[in-house]
Amino acid sequence: TERYRFEALAEEAARRGDERVSRHMLVIEATAAMFEAASGGDTAERFQRYVRNLRMPERNPGSVGLGCSILAEPGDRGALARAYEANRGAPLEIWPDPGASDAVVVAVLFENVDDFDAGPQLTSGFNAFSDPTRRAAIDRATTDRAPRAAGPVTLVSNAAPPLLSFVIYAPVYGPNFGVSHEGEDRPSGFVVAAFHAAELIDSALRVV
């Protein structure tokens, strides 16, 4: 009957949705492990090659971008600024402007998976700690030592109208771009992955 057919289609869509999410999580966790193994960060050129080779638009529909953010205390801002300029080719201007005693979370690397020339513009100097939704996810990721999602959020881009999106933060431990909080058992940064929710859902429904 139509009812049973609908239920079967819904179950299949849910299963495929779970598969999509699991595939995204594998990429995020593998990227965090890569940065920890690098023990000092990576370069923009190598990271762009890495993201290109993931072929995320076809293998991970819904993905917007993948990057690495640094958790910097006030005393770490010099290292953050040097890493940012080395990888972005421009001086770091953190926005919104943080207080002198505030920690910040800023992306040093970020690649847009559909347009590799647009990545830097999507995150340029944005302090994720300034957004309560993102900060809550970062705090949960730090406490749980595991990836945690923030959403819904408006991505830092010029997209109009803004699309319903979410961001996942996965903690990275050990020295990272000259920043380390090992003595405090805190991450030095986070792998950050951004998604458009509608595209992720559509990818699960489209193949049913």
Side-chain angles (χ1 to χ4, degrees):
T1 68
E2 285 300 313
R3 175 186 172 184
Y4 291 130
R5 181 173 179 274
F6 176 80
E7 289 177 350
L9 289 173
E11 289 176 3
E12 179 65 8
R15 183 187 67 79
R16 291 184 182 276
D18 287 343
E19 287 180 355
R20 296 288 190 273
V21 172
S22 295
R23 197 176 300 170
H24 285 301
M25 294 306 298
L26 284 173
V27 169
I28 293 166
E29 291 172 346
T31 304
M34 179 192 72
F35 278 108
E36 289 181 354
S39 187
D42 208 339
T43 66
E45 183 180 354
R46 281 200 301 264
F47 186 65
Q48 186 178 92
R49 287 200 304 269
Y50 168 77
V51 176
R52 281 182 186 273
N53 289 337
L54 290 174
R55 293 162 54 193
M56 293 177 74
E58 57 189 89
R59 293 176 175 172
N60 299 81
S63 297
V64 175
L66 186 66
C68 185
S69 294
I70 298 304
L71 170 59
E73 297 292 344
D76 301 319
R77 288 193 194 174
L80 170 63
R82 289 189 293 273
Y84 184 96
E85 185 164 3
N87 286 285
R88 297 298 187 88
L92 172 62
E93 294 184 13
I94 303 173
W95 64 276
D97 190 26
S101 60
D102 293 339
V104 299
V105 174
V106 175
V108 172
L109 297 172
F110 191 86
E111 294 296 336
N112 182 311
V113 301
D114 287 319
D115 182 356
F116 285 95
D117 292 326
Q121 285 70 43
L122 290 180
T123 57
S124 181
F126 175 66
N127 174 22
F129 258 0
S130 67
D131 172 33
T133 301
R134 287 175 169 87
R135 180 159 192 155
I138 291 169
D139 288 342
R140 290 196 306 273
T142 300
T143 300
D144 299 342
R145 301 179 68 92
R148 292 294 179 260
V153 299
T154 299
L155 297 182
V156 184
S157 69
N158 295 321
L163 300 174
L164 181 65
S165 306
F166 64 97
V167 180
I168 294 178
Y169 294 93
V172 175
Y173 293 88
N176 202 14
F177 294 103
V179 175
S180 176
H181 305 303
E182 286 184 291
E184 305 167 49
D185 194 32
R186 290 195 304 151
S188 53
F190 302 85
V191 167
V192 54
F195 304 88
H196 285 152
E199 292 178 15
L200 184 60
I201 294 170
D202 182 63
S203 71
L205 297 175
R206 192 169 52 241
V207 294
V208 173

